[in-house]
């Protein structure tokens, strides 16, 4: 832990602000209240919280679930822009690398939207304006008519080359999975490229955090593939950089959930993911399993941010927790809209 | 800090005997003690830098932190006050 940072990173300032915003995240009590409300009540409740400015700004244009949804996306973008605004030096570099994840999200949103022939305004609403993609690129993306066109538009970006490579697979199978996977893999490949984890202070913790994320993503991908029952080889969808599994190993573990759970429990993630693993063993559904994995990752992120208080970890853990909160509120609002019961909605939430 | 005082105490009679007349060696003692205060102040400054940055961050999010932020920021200042005691010890 560097008390005097050598690289002009302002860890203490950023972390103090992040901690404060972290404390403002919803807890069990708020979720409990929210699951009992109708969509317009949710919007009113959120007006009293730190989503207030967004709800007020959008309140005249939208109502109900739409209002909640747009306010959530805007709030997310505002928070992440703030992070970049505050940070300096290596810290800025690391956060901006990580926030490219929203470029990946936007690229995937465009692909999915165009694939399912969604209207361009709907696609636009789902973009999160927090990454490197500029307004103009996003506008061009939402106006594309075909998936091939999206790939072409993205040519100049980080994802260009790998999307081109995956295009053949897409044309062969007609499924978006190869393209989406190409986006994810490019993102993770670039995340760690050019970072010297052994010598540079600050990046060490960053790498640790990301290795955990990659590990969890690998597990999730493998299980999805196994569930879908397709002929796809899990090794093709393996993301490099994790510490827990090798590509070939993962394929064999997928068939055997007990072994995988045992493996996770014995790993470095064991202490934090313990409770989540219990859910893992008891639930049969894939969604329950994925939610338990998400919660486990959140727990581990939280642990890392306590072990390395003056590092990039608390910031990244906040990004994860904030995203999770936004997903949760969205799930509640959507769930109430279609009339799911409280228990059903609670099952959809990811909580620590 | 204690080691430093011990060091000054040990070296002063030595200098006294070998090199310097009595009135000069007293000045050296005080001079070194003053240096000690300076070093302590430097350390306090470094510590306050980090705490101050964090405190300003917290205040920016919630101005209720002002009082407690200020208190934490000046806590390392106690180092300097303790270092000043050394001057009175060697005098």
């Amino acid at each position: 832990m560097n008390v005097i940072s050598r690289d002009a990173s302002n860890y203490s300032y950023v972390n103090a602000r992040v901690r404060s915003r972290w404390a403002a995240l919803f807890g069990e009590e708020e979720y409990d209240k929210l699951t009992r409300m109708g969509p317009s009540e949710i919007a009113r409740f959120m007006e009293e919280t730190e989503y207030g400015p967004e709800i007020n700004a959008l309140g005249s244009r939208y109502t109900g679930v739409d209002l909640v949804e747009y306010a959530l996306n805007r709030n997310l973008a505002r928070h992440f822009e703030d992070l970049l605004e505050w940070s300096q030096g290596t810290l800025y570099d690391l956060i901006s690398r990580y926030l490219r994840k929203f470029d990946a999200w936007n690229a995937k949103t465009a692909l999915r939207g165009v694939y399912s022939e969604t209207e361009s305004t709907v696609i636009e609403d789902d973009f999160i304006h927090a990454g490197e993609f500029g307004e103009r690129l996003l506008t061009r993306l939402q106006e594309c008519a075909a998936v091939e066109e999206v790939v072409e538009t993205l040519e100049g970006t980080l994802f260009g080359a790998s999307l081109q490579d995956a295009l053949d697979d897409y044309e062969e199978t007609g499924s978006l999975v190869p393209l989406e996977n190409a986006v994810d893999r490019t993102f993770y490949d670039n995340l760690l490229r050019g970072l010297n984890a052994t010598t540079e202070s600050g990046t060490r913790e960053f790498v640790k955090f990301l290795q955990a994320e990659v590990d969890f993503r690998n597990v999730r991908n493998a299980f999805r593939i196994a569930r879908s029952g397709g002929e796809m080889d899990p090794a093709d969808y393996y993301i490099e950089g994790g510490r827990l599994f090798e590509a070939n190993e993962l394929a064999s573990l997928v068939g055997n959930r007990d072994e995988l759970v045992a493996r996770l429990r014995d790993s470095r993630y064991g202490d934090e993911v313990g409770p989540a693993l219990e859910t893992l063993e008891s639930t049969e559904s894939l969604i329950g399993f994925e939610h338990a994995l998400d919660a486990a990752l959140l727990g581990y992120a939280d642990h890392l941010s306590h072990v390395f208080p003056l590092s990039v970890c608390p910031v990244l853990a906040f990004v994860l927790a904030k995203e999770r909160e936004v997903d949760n509120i969205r799930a509640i609002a959507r769930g109430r809209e279609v009339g799911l019961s409280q228990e059903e909605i609670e099952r959809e939430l990811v909580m620590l | 800090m204690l080691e430093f005082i011990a060091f000054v105490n040990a070296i002063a009679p030595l200098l006294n005997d070998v090199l310097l007349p009595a009135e000069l060696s007293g000045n050296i003692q005080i001079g070194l003690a003053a240096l000690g205060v300076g070093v302590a102040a430097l350390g306090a400054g470094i510590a306050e830098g980090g705490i101050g940055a964090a405190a300003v961050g917290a205040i920016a999010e919630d101005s209720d932190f002002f009082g407690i932020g200020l208190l934490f920021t000046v806590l390392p200042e106690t180092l300097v006050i303790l270092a000043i005691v050394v001057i009175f010890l060697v005098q």
Side-chain angles (χ1 to χ4, degrees), chain B residues 31-47:
Chain B
L32 286 176
L35 188 67
V37 177
V39 174
L42 189 68
I46 291 169

Side-chain angles (χ1 to χ4, degrees), chain A residues 106-118 123 140-155 159-160 162-183:
Chain A
N106 288 339
K108 283 193 283 185
T109 304
L111 284 171
R112 281 181 202 164
V114 172
Y115 182 74
S116 60
E117 290 168 10
T118 316
I123 302 179
R140 269 168 60 205
L141 279 177
Q142 89 202 26
E143 280 161 3
C144 289
V147 172
E148 286 80 0
E149 209 178 313
V150 176
V151 174
E152 214 169 284
T153 315
L154 288 171
E155 206 168 5
F159 307 107
S162 56
L163 276 177
Q164 284 293 347
D165 294 342
L167 199 57
D168 292 340
D169 267 357
Y170 161 73
E171 276 161 358
E172 223 169 87
T173 58
S175 133
L176 268 189
V177 178
L179 288 176
E180 289 186 5
N181 190 55
V183 172

